Structures are given as structure tokens and as C-alpha cells.
Amino acid sequence: MGAYRSIFETTAEDRKARLSPNRGDWITGHADLTGLAVVEVQRLWVRFNQLNCDSKGNLSKKQIEKGELSRDIFIKNIVANLPKEKDGSLSFLVFLKFMQWIDTASIEQKLKLIFHFLNNGDEITEDVVEKLFFKVYPNSDEKEINDLIKLFMEQLDPDRTKKINEKNFIQNILANYDREELNYLLKYDLIPADVLREMNMQPSLPGSQLNMRSTSVPNAKSELSDELLESVARKVVKKEWEELALSLGFTKREIELYKSKFNEIDYDTILAMMCDWRDQDPKFATKNRLKNYLEELRMNDAAALMR
């Protein structure tokens, strides 16, 4: 798994997004980071949440060790090898990246991963196969299990060495099974193709600042006036204002579109983004919420304007 581990790591750029389950961009932000469709992220979030993740959207170390994932030895080995947070928890983003890899990896890549988790990357002996089969088929009698073990070893260890290395494992599975059948067995669609095509034709879910269903309340009045936001923009434009835009729920792509629209003029860009964020949902866009974002980014002079 070491060769693939870096694919699933959370990067410094990922962490800059400051995503939180309590924010409206939780789903769309993860879609932007991974390139997955919003409907795919939404489906996986429902499943991940069912595993009892915490308020940060992470699966705690205790939940990993004692919860649903610990009941299947193969799944347990997979999760044990995925990158974790400092406290040992598994983030939703890492989970997404792994599921995305499963969805797009080749047959050879998947077989390589399966081999690794059968015996932690070591050669597979008949003893290992026996233990595996008795766990997978607990209700089968001993003769049936022994017949399966014999067939397995005959197919994957034709030279009768009594051990199977990674190269032989992959080569002999490809030699003994039709490629189309293997592709069917190992294929995993995050969302059925026809459903995904239909969903991609629909407007985006709330949370994206572009092409979205409006969630604003008609005639609702915001406590953030144009004059106040102009004052904030004058303060933050001298700093890392793009960090504030990310905190407000805009994606990196959306920031670039706004910058292009306003001819790379930072003040006009961040002001427009704050106004659009406010107008999106005046009840959500409060002084206190904006103040919290500013304080988190250490933009204390701008936060002081939120009296």
C-alpha cells in the first residue's frame, strides 16, 4: 500500500479549504478537492456519517478499532493502512480519495492491493489461505474448505512452491480468469452511470456559489451592510484575502473566476465575493459568523469592525 499511500494523503492545499460539516460547502468543497461529482460525494458522506463520525467529520480512532469497520478483517487492514490525522482519526477526505481510487484503478492495481491485504504484502502460504477461507466461509464444512484451498493453490501456485508472491498472484489470476469477468467482479461505481448523467444535468446543490439553487429568504435584511463590507475589504485586501474567500465557502476555481471577472483587482474581487456570500443567505451571513472567520485567520483589525 506504500506505493499508493501518498495518493490518499491530505495535502497542505487540501487543509487550506478549512472544510467543516457545519458549513454549507462541506459537500461541494469536497467535490472540488477530489474532482468527484457532488452527488457522489453526497452519497459517500451519508455512508461515512453512518459509521458515527465526529463533529469534525472524522472517524475517531476508537470508532475505527471498535466500530463497524473492525468486524471485517480485510476492511480493518485497509483502514489501518490509510493515512490518519494526528489523533489517529480517519478524515472524510482521505476516505473519499480512497473510494475514488477504487472507482478508477486498473484491474492490476486492484489485484496488487488485494494481495497486500491478504498477508500485509508478504508471500501467501497455504496456512494463510486456510485461515482466510475459514473466516470467509465460517458455515462451510472442513472438506469444502479444503477443496477450495486446493483449487486456490493449484491455480495461483502451479509450480507447487507452496507460496505465492505478488507477481505470481497477479499473473495467475489474470491467466485463470476472463478479464471481463474480473472487471465485473472488481468494478465499483460510486454512482450508477445513468444516475450520474441525470444528476449532472440538474442544478448544483446548495453550498456552491455558482450554478446553484437559491437558498436566500426573499426580502430578508442582512446585518452586514455594503458600507461595512467595504471597510472589511479594505482591511483584508492587504493580507491573504483568498483564505477568507475559502472560509466563506468559495472553491479555488470560483476564486479564479471572480478574479478574472474583476480584472485581478483584489479589492473589487473580495468585496464582490463577500457581498454574494451575504446575499446568498442573509440569515446565515451574520456579523458574528464573519467575525469568527476573520479571527480564525488572525485578521483582527477587520474582525474589530464587527461590533
Side-chain angles (χ1 to χ4, degrees):
M1 179 110 178
Y4 301 108
R5 187 181 176 87
S6 61
I7 300 172
F8 314 130
E9 293 277 4
T10 301
T11 66
E13 285 298 310
D14 292 335
R15 289 189 287 274
K16 283 184 180 180
R18 299 176 183 273
L19 297 175
S20 166
N22 298 320
R23 282 174 41 182
D25 66 335
W26 177 250
I27 298 297
T28 55
H30 278 93
D32 184 60
L33 289 175
T34 60
L36 291 170
V38 169
V39 66
E40 292 175 313
V41 177
Q42 185 181 42
R43 181 190 185 194
L44 289 172
W45 171 239
V46 169
R47 181 67 187 107
F48 194 72
N49 205 21
Q50 288 172 341
L51 298 173
N52 294 321
C53 59
D54 60 25
S55 59
K56 295 180 181 179
N58 295 338
L59 202 60
S60 70
K61 183 179 180 180
K62 180 179 179 181
Q63 196 61 35
I64 292 171
E65 293 174 348
K66 305 294 184 182
E68 181 181 332
L69 295 180
S70 66
R71 299 169 193 165
D72 186 304
I73 188 64
F74 189 71
I75 297 297
K76 187 176 181 179
N77 282 345
I78 291 177
V79 175
N81 283 275
L82 291 176
K84 306 292 193 309
E85 300 296 296
K86 291 181 179 179
D87 61 0
S89 63
L90 176 68
S91 73
F92 178 51
L93 181 56
V94 169
F95 173 76
L96 273 184
K97 288 184 175 183
F98 178 72
M99 298 306 293
Q100 182 181 29
W101 183 88
I102 291 294
D103 187 41
T104 58
S106 67
I107 292 175
E108 287 80 4
Q109 287 173 319
K110 290 178 182 178
L111 290 175
K112 191 171 184 177
L113 193 70
I114 290 170
F115 175 84
H116 178 92
F117 288 121
L118 286 175
N119 197 31
N120 297 316
D122 295 331
E123 291 180 324
I124 301 171
T125 63
E126 193 167 318
D127 289 341
V128 172
V129 176
E130 182 178 342
K131 290 178 183 177
L132 174 67
F133 277 38
F134 273 106
K135 284 185 177 180
V136 173
Y137 304 107
N139 298 320
S140 298
D141 61 42
E142 189 172 344
K143 184 180 184 306
E144 288 178 317
I145 296 293
N146 287 332
D147 287 344
L148 284 172
I149 294 171
K150 183 179 178 181
L151 178 62
F152 184 90
M153 296 302 294
E154 284 177 354
Q155 290 183 336
L156 302 187
D157 180 32
D159 296 331
R160 303 293 191 272
T161 63
K162 295 188 177 181
K163 57 186 179 181
I164 305 167
N165 60 31
E166 181 186 279
K167 182 179 179 181
N168 288 337
F169 179 81
I170 295 173
Q171 285 183 344
N172 289 319
I173 284 183
L174 292 174
N176 282 284
Y177 294 91
D178 180 75
R179 197 172 185 89
E180 287 189 11
E181 182 181 359
L182 280 174
N183 188 54
Y184 174 78
L185 292 172
L186 298 175
K187 186 173 177 58
Y188 176 78
D189 288 321
L190 297 179
I191 296 289
D194 57 333
V195 175
L196 183 58
R197 283 194 299 272
E198 181 180 343
M199 290 302 298
N200 282 336
M201 296 172 66
Q202 304 300 319
S204 300
L205 293 177
S208 173
Q209 302 296 327
L210 300 177
N211 185 29
M212 63 171 293
R213 297 188 183 112
S214 175
T215 58
S216 61
V217 179
N219 302 319
K221 187 175 182 180
S222 173
E223 58 186 24
L224 294 170
S225 65
D226 288 346
E227 292 76 14
L228 179 56
L229 292 182
E230 287 168 4
S231 297
V232 173
R234 282 193 287 271
K235 297 284 187 182
V236 303
V237 76
K238 302 172 186 177
K239 302 178 181 179
E240 297 293 328
W241 64 266
E242 290 187 25
E243 294 293 321
L244 175 60
L246 289 170
S247 294
L248 296 179
F250 292 90
T251 66
K252 295 170 189 174
R253 175 175 173 271
E254 290 167 345
I255 292 172
E256 292 304 314
L257 289 173
Y258 271 87
K259 286 166 71 174
S260 177
K261 180 179 179 180
F262 291 94
N263 300 314
E264 303 290 333
I265 300 174
D266 292 346
Y267 171 81
D268 291 347
T269 302
I270 188 58
L271 176 59
M273 297 180 88
M274 285 193 294
C275 288
D276 286 352
W277 171 73
R278 174 199 63 190
D279 297 340
Q280 160 81 20
D281 189 347
K283 286 190 174 182
F284 177 84
T286 62
K287 282 184 179 180
N288 190 55
R289 192 177 298 277
L290 181 56
K291 180 181 179 181
N292 289 338
Y293 291 155
L294 292 167
E295 288 178 341
E296 286 176 2
L297 297 171
R298 298 183 181 179
M299 298 178 177
N300 297 323
D301 54 345
L305 297 171
M306 301 293 111
R307 300 187 184 91

